[in-house]
Amino acid sequence: MTRLSLRYDDTNMRSAAVGKTGVSPREWSAMLPRLRAARNAVQKLARMKEQGFMDLPFERKTNAVCTKLAKQLSRSFTDLVVLGIGGSDLGARALQQALAPVDEHKKGTMRLHFAGSSTDPDELSRLLKRLNMKKTCVNVISKSGDTLETMAAFLVFRDRILKSVGPGRMPSHIVATTDEESGSLNELARKERYELLPVPMNVGGRFSVLSSVGLFPAAAIGIDTTLLLQGAKSFVEGFHECTPNECMSTRYAGLHVIGMERRDQRIHVTMPYATRLAWFAHWVRQLVAESLGKQTSRKGKTIHAGPTPVNAVGPEDQHSQMQLYNEGPFDKLITFIEVKRFNGDIRTPAAGTMGNAIARFGSRSFQDLIHLERRATAESLCRNMRPNATLTMDRIDARAMGELIMFWEIAVALMGELTDVNAYNQPGVELSKRIMREAFT
């Protein structure tokens, strides 16, 4: 089995570390048959092509098309605006922050911007003022083409481009990522001759970051999408090969479901100790909320199920949320993400003449400091009987991000099986969309 960058340490989720708030050996043994059944069900959905997110890392053709188009467009355009919302932009935002920060713009790539996730006119106005439309490409992402926020922003950008370059050149500024066969955006793209990138029918938006939805923006800013997919592929292969006790996603899913069922631990916190993973925690929040928060079971029984996902960032949120986590209700399960090696490091200067209170901070590595803060936070939680686990990645690179994405997608799919909900629909979201559509008729 391929060695992975990720390690999942669930020691502090167990009763031996945190007492009665943690999972006991007997509870874990009882969960193992359910985990095997859940894994078989998720594998069957993939094998029958009902759910395609685990196939995406193996889709070389899509990656090649996205990479080629990104290189081609970067010769003509300096800026790329992604118009999407939810699963159509959170993944790309997470990849940009983690792997291609805006202040590290690479020569021969485009600067990436996001709109279409809000109807805040001030935010959109500021972006429009900054852009030269003659040098701007727009990637509008909507599977159906009827997403209010995204399509409203698209109409504005299309009009600005049209007025800037004229009807003959306007289509060359637009890439539509949408359903490959039908839908209003598909129809418009074919009619006006936009570049068209298809979204697989069997991949939902929140699971789509490794499809053209995330790969094209990632390639446009110079991310090595081949390595990204290789990391995800390695994780999928490991999932198929390992036992429930060995598989990281399986352990995560089982421990969290036991916590929900046995101790009402329904607030699940994702807390990376790396600022570059802040948007990734936002992506996790959507994945968990939309997949697992459901009114009915798959059999139609009313259950109003699902955890409440919370995202935090360390060390910052040690000073804003940790008081609650340490002394508030015993309803939280916390997952830290730790980066073993950062790309750079800074040391504090010696401070021997400033008095003992300040001098103790001298000659310290910031990399060591952030690791110390994560360990101290985990230990404080343990002492207060608060379950927590740590996902450690060797470093933040494309391969590790592919593993991290697939870790959570598979874990959430497994939790859907364990809690008997359809992890792939979102009727609660569709209702508000329908109400908005009715307001426009």
Side-chain angles (χ1 to χ4, degrees):
M1 190 163 62
T2 305
R3 181 186 178 277
L4 298 173
S5 163
L6 291 184
R7 268 101 49 216
Y8 180 58
D9 182 357
D10 59 34
T11 303
N12 294 344
M13 295 284 284
R14 311 277 181 163
S15 59
V18 294
K20 64 182 181 181
T21 60
V23 174
S24 70
R26 179 177 293 181
E27 288 172 330
W28 183 247
S29 294
M31 173 58 74
L32 288 175
R34 294 174 62 190
L35 283 173
R36 284 190 283 270
R39 187 181 70 165
N40 291 341
V42 171
Q43 290 173 331
K44 182 179 179 181
L45 286 173
R47 189 168 59 251
M48 301 299 290
K49 305 299 181 183
E50 291 183 39
Q51 295 299 327
F53 70 93
M54 284 197 293
D55 291 331
L56 296 177
F58 301 86
E59 290 287 342
R60 295 182 181 178
K61 181 179 178 181
T62 298
N63 186 40
V65 168
C66 290
T67 302
K68 181 179 179 181
L69 179 60
K71 288 182 178 178
Q72 173 189 325
L73 293 174
S74 66
R75 299 189 191 106
S76 303
F77 303 110
T78 59
D79 294 87
L80 173 67
V81 180
V82 170
L83 303 178
I85 192 170
S88 296
D89 89 328
L90 284 174
R93 285 182 189 264
L95 291 175
Q96 179 192 38
Q97 185 183 51
L99 301 173
V102 292
D103 58 349
E104 296 179 12
H105 178 244
K106 299 177 183 177
K107 185 178 180 181
T109 66
M110 290 182 275
R111 291 182 292 268
L112 187 59
H113 313 272
F114 294 91
S117 63
S118 171
T119 47
D120 181 337
D122 288 345
E123 181 182 14
L124 186 58
S125 296
R126 285 193 294 268
L127 177 58
L128 289 167
K129 288 176 182 177
R130 295 201 308 268
L131 294 171
N132 175 359
M133 287 299 162
K134 292 180 180 179
K135 303 294 288 183
T136 297
C137 179
V138 169
N139 179 205
V140 54
I141 306 175
S142 175
K143 204 168 186 179
S144 63
D146 63 359
T147 308
L148 182 150
E149 299 87 351
T150 299
M151 299 313 295
F154 171 66
L155 289 177
V156 172
F157 275 92
R158 179 185 174 279
D159 182 64
R160 295 294 180 96
I161 292 170
L162 182 63
K163 290 176 179 176
S164 180
V165 302
R169 294 177 57 193
M170 182 266 292
S172 66
H173 286 246
I174 299 172
V175 177
T177 305
T178 188
D179 187 282
E180 57 187 330
E181 295 181 0
S182 61
S184 54
L185 181 55
N186 177 291
E187 293 175 11
L188 181 64
R190 295 185 185 281
K191 178 182 177 182
E192 297 198 342
R193 304 185 315 281
Y194 306 155
E195 289 283 353
L196 199 155
L197 294 174
V199 180
M201 287 287 294
N202 61 351
V203 177
R206 58 189 175 275
F207 289 90
S208 68
V209 61
L210 297 178
S211 74
S212 56
V213 170
L215 293 178
F216 171 64
I221 54 177
I223 292 173
D224 190 333
T225 52
T226 299
L227 282 180
L228 181 72
L229 294 177
Q230 284 178 359
K233 178 183 174 183
S234 295
F235 197 94
V236 171
E237 291 171 342
F239 170 66
H240 290 311
E241 295 171 12
C242 66
T243 68
N245 269 323
E246 295 169 335
C247 178
M248 292 182 281
S249 292
T250 308
R251 298 205 320 270
Y252 176 98
L255 290 166
H256 280 71
V257 169
I258 291 171
M260 289 194 293
E261 292 178 345
R262 307 277 298 188
R263 281 171 283 280
D264 207 28
Q265 294 162 327
R266 297 182 179 277
I267 297 177
H268 298 173
V269 181
T270 305
M271 189 171 181
Y273 269 71
T275 304
R276 287 166 60 193
L277 296 176
W279 271 108
F280 180 79
H282 278 280
W283 175 83
V284 171
R285 184 178 67 180
Q286 187 214 0
L287 179 70
V288 171
E290 278 198 352
S291 299
L292 303 178
K294 299 295 161 63
Q295 176 176 310
T296 60
S297 70
R298 287 177 297 187
K299 298 180 182 67
K301 180 181 178 182
T302 299
I303 55 176
H304 296 291
T308 298
V310 174
N311 52 304
V313 179
E316 174 185 341
D317 286 319
Q318 287 176 214
H319 300 271
S320 67
Q321 297 182 31
M322 201 50 61
Q323 172 64 35
L324 171 66
Y325 299 164
N326 259 317
E327 296 189 0
F330 288 84
D331 56 359
K332 300 168 190 68
L333 300 174
I334 300 168
T335 303
F336 301 112
I337 306 176
E338 182 169 53
V339 180
K340 188 175 180 181
R341 292 186 299 276
F342 289 80
N343 289 345
D345 195 14
I346 296 174
R347 294 190 71 86
T348 61
T353 62
M354 298 184 183
N356 290 337
I358 296 176
R360 62 192 172 127
F361 300 119
S363 303
R364 302 281 185 175
S365 159
F366 268 63
Q367 189 161 246
D368 290 344
L369 288 174
I370 199 168
H371 290 154
L372 172 62
E373 289 176 288
R374 203 280 314 162
R375 289 196 304 272
T377 302
E379 177 62 24
S380 72
L381 290 167
C382 281
R383 292 186 187 185
N384 285 306
M385 300 175 60
R386 313 294 171 139
N388 61 92
T390 300
L391 258 176
T392 300
M393 52 200 305
D394 287 341
R395 62 175 69 248
I396 301 176
D397 58 21
R399 188 180 186 96
M401 288 303 296
E403 294 178 20
L404 199 60
I405 288 166
M406 199 51 67
F407 168 90
W408 247 289
E409 290 187 346
I410 291 175
V412 165
L414 290 166
M415 290 175 71
E417 298 298 326
L418 292 169
T419 57
D420 193 31
V421 299
N422 183 344
Y424 310 103
N425 66 357
Q426 53 276 334
V429 177
E430 295 305 322
L431 175 60
S432 63
K433 287 183 178 180
R434 188 166 70 246
I435 293 170
M436 287 189 290
R437 282 196 296 269
E438 289 170 357
F440 284 90
T441 58

